[in-house]
Amino acid sequence: MRYENRTGRKPIAKARVIRALRALQSQAIPATLQTILQREPGLAKSSAMLALAQLPSEANLQVRSLPGSSTVRQYILATAAQHHGITLDPDTVRYGARAENTLLIILSDYEKENR
């Protein structure tokens, strides 16, 4: 997915999800829909759910059940997958990192414009 020419709500929501995932994973907090929404209070639940549905194919986001729960999903960035015991090939990690960084640049530009 090429984000460079995309603007609007969907890429911004995806970028906010990525930002929340990076923050949560750096603090070793399991990234669930609830913790993502707590981290990004301005993000609508529907937008977060749509982003979480699309990011596995666009940024190699890894999804698994939260240990000890069969219904709660945990979301793991491709760049942090190895820390969670998930082995990905280097190209998959590189592609995920590129998508993550591109989305965060879009978010940074969006936030600068809307100050």
Side-chain angles (χ1 to χ4, degrees):
M1 173 63 69
R2 293 188 56 88
Y3 296 108
E4 290 85 355
N5 300 324
R6 295 181 149 275
T7 57
R9 184 174 51 91
K10 291 179 184 176
I12 299 304
K14 290 176 188 176
R16 287 183 172 154
V17 167
I18 295 291
R19 179 171 64 185
L21 289 168
R22 282 193 174 179
L24 291 166
Q25 291 175 0
S26 71
Q27 298 171 352
I29 298 171
T32 64
L33 178 60
Q34 182 179 0
T35 58
I36 291 167
L37 293 174
Q38 288 172 349
R39 182 76 181 148
E40 289 288 335
L43 182 61
K45 184 176 180 180
S46 60
S47 295
M49 290 176 66
L50 181 62
L52 290 169
Q54 294 175 348
L55 284 171
S57 62
E58 294 179 12
N60 297 317
L61 182 69
Q62 303 298 303
V63 182
R64 68 179 184 186
S65 292
L66 187 65
S69 172
S70 61
T71 58
V72 179
R73 292 186 177 152
Q74 180 180 15
Y75 301 94
I76 302 165
L77 294 169
T79 53
Q82 187 174 6
H83 300 292
H84 293 272
I86 301 170
T87 304
L88 300 174
D89 65 276
D91 289 337
T92 302
V93 175
R94 240 186 324 277
Y95 182 80
R98 179 174 180 235
E100 292 170 25
N101 290 332
T102 302
L103 283 166
L104 291 175
I105 290 168
I106 290 170
L107 180 60
S108 175
D109 291 346
Y110 172 78
E111 289 178 341
K112 284 179 187 175
E113 292 172 6
N114 295 306
R115 283 188 184 170

